Amino acid sequence: MGLMDFIKGELLEIIEWQDDSRDTIAWRYPDDDKAIKNGAQLIVRESQVAQFLYLGQFGDTFGPGKHTLTTDNIPVLTRIKGWKYGFQSPFKADVYFVNTRLFTGNKWGTANPIMLRDADLGVVRARAYGTYDFKVTNVQTFLKEVAGSDHDFRVDEFADTMRSRVVSIFSDALANAHVPVFDVATRYTDLGEALLPLINPVISAKYGIEVSSFIVENVSVPPEVEEAIDKRSAMSAIGNLNDYVKYQMGQGMAAGGGGGAAGTASELAVGFAVAKELMQQGGLTGGGSPPPMPGAPAAASAAPVQANPDILDPASVARMLGVSEADVMTEIESGNLPAKKIGSSYRVTRAALDAFLAH
């Protein structure tokens, strides 16, 4: 091997990145301690950006195309290195290739429940998950804040950081949006689009990337809240409670009417249950107590009824709203629903309840 061949072998004449992966964001060209010759060819493919780095300082940035490395093409590096009349001899510099294509289908999710104040359910815990797409928009910020000196930086190395940042912003935005839990399922698309203007300024400034799409796939609540939602849906499906109770009474009478003494006992049990339901309905609507069941003593068919229909106990309020009594007590104890404590019991006026619902 001649001297010229040896010298030629120690110089880089073609610099390029033939990316065959789908998850590499940044890649440092392996120079093997070789210098870059004057007039070397730099090949940057579509969806790539080449960034020169000299002694810890950012040099010139090249977009897609074929570039000849001369004084005219590397003005920043020329100034940093202090070449007064341009460079003629080989030089050394790190070359980073950054993939600027869109990285899709990245998953995010809340590790812990988000505490939300809901107008219908009070304070509720919610979990959420989905996907997002992103791309690098500021190469120097990304290399400085994220990739660093990593020679092969991949998406999975950045996944945890991105997930925590996205979830933090999502949690704050959802808590401030005051979207009812009952309506979240119908507004997944709206939520994702509304969150982009909140996420991107923070992500772009911090990491030099931009989230192109943010998708909310699911927002879930604890099982006990799901049960309360199901009960509320069932009450809406029932409609008029009086008609439903009468129907149940007829069904109970028919089922227990042919069994002699057992049938009579079953009929009485159904009658008492129906009477209780009718009296509760009358107490809630101010319609008074229902008439006694035929054949039953008046005292046995009438359970205690509130003397004043405009003064309600927590159980009555819970039945009216289709929620649990514990939820009502939570609102009372937090001061959201005004109530008067008499002894160990609370009483709520209908006016206070109307004001609470209208708030």
Side-chain angles (χ1 to χ4, degrees), residues 123-337:
V123 179
V124 62
R125 303 186 307 276
R127 293 180 181 271
Y129 64 85
T131 60
Y132 65 94
D133 306 333
F134 77 93
K135 61 181 179 180
V136 178
T137 55
N138 189 316
V139 172
Q140 293 187 4
T141 300
F142 180 80
L143 290 175
K144 179 181 179 182
E145 300 295 338
V146 181
S149 59
D150 195 327
H151 73 282
D152 189 8
F153 189 82
R154 297 177 179 271
V155 173
D156 56 1
E157 298 179 59
F158 192 41
D160 291 340
T161 300
M162 275 295 293
R163 187 180 298 114
S164 62
R165 172 62 69 177
V166 166
V167 168
S168 175
I169 299 172
F170 172 81
S171 302
D172 293 341
L174 185 60
N176 294 327
H178 301 296
V179 178
V181 172
F182 290 118
D183 298 337
V184 166
T186 63
R187 299 179 62 179
Y188 285 159
T189 302
D190 295 340
L191 276 175
E193 293 176 352
L195 289 172
L196 280 178
L198 301 175
I199 294 174
N200 274 326
V202 179
I203 297 296
S204 297
K206 181 65 176 177
Y207 304 120
I209 68 174
E210 177 183 283
V211 176
S212 302
S213 65
F214 187 81
I215 301 173
V216 181
E217 294 183 359
N218 180 266
V219 176
S220 60
V221 294
E224 58 269 22
V225 178
E226 291 182 352
E227 183 179 351
I229 294 174
D230 291 340
K231 288 181 179 179
R232 176 167 176 162
S233 300
M235 291 300 295
S236 299
I238 288 172
N240 188 294
L241 185 58
N242 268 326
D243 292 342
Y244 179 73
V245 171
K246 291 175 183 177
Y247 170 77
Q248 291 290 84
M249 179 180 67
Q251 293 293 98
M253 294 295 185
T264 301
S266 174
E267 183 176 329
L268 287 174
V270 172
F272 286 134
V274 170
K276 181 178 179 181
E277 290 293 330
L278 288 174
M279 284 185 290
Q280 290 174 346
Q281 178 70 16
L284 292 176
T285 60
S289 59
M293 294 296 297
S301 63
V305 181
Q306 289 184 186
N308 189 342
D310 290 328
I311 299 178
L312 309 170
D313 58 18
S316 299
V317 175
R319 287 193 295 273
M320 292 179 68
L321 301 182
V323 300
S324 68
E325 187 174 347
D327 291 335
V328 174
M329 290 302 302
T330 298
E331 295 301 320
I332 290 175
E333 292 171 354
S334 65
N336 293 330
L337 177 58

Side-chain angles (χ1 to χ4, degrees), residues 4-119:
M4 294 305 297
D5 292 334
F6 173 78
I7 295 175
K8 184 177 180 180
E10 292 299 307
L11 300 178
L12 296 176
E13 297 185 358
I14 298 178
I15 302 173
E16 63 180 335
W17 179 30
Q18 297 178 337
D19 181 23
D20 58 355
S21 70
R22 297 297 298 168
D23 62 347
T24 301
I25 308 178
W27 182 76
R28 185 177 65 187
Y29 185 83
D31 56 17
D32 297 326
D33 205 29
K34 296 180 181 179
I36 301 173
K37 67 172 291 186
N38 180 20
Q41 301 296 306
L42 172 67
I43 301 174
V44 184
R45 290 172 170 76
E46 290 296 331
S47 299
Q48 291 181 359
V49 171
Q51 175 66 56
F52 279 73
L53 194 68
Y54 178 76
L55 297 179
Q57 299 184 65
F58 286 114
D60 301 275
T61 305
F62 296 87
K66 184 177 181 180
H67 310 275
T68 301
L69 300 181
T70 63
T71 302
D72 293 337
N73 277 356
I74 53 174
V76 178
L77 187 59
T78 299
R79 184 177 68 253
I80 292 175
K81 191 169 178 61
W83 290 314
K84 295 182 180 180
Y85 307 105
F87 76 94
Q88 299 298 328
S89 59
F91 68 97
K92 296 197 65 175
D94 293 323
V95 182
Y96 286 86
F97 286 88
V98 178
N99 199 334
T100 58
R101 73 170 181 84
L102 194 65
F103 291 89
T104 61
N106 303 281
K107 299 183 180 298
W108 66 271
T110 54
N112 298 306
I114 308 169
M115 300 299 292
L116 302 174
R117 180 174 291 278
D118 187 80

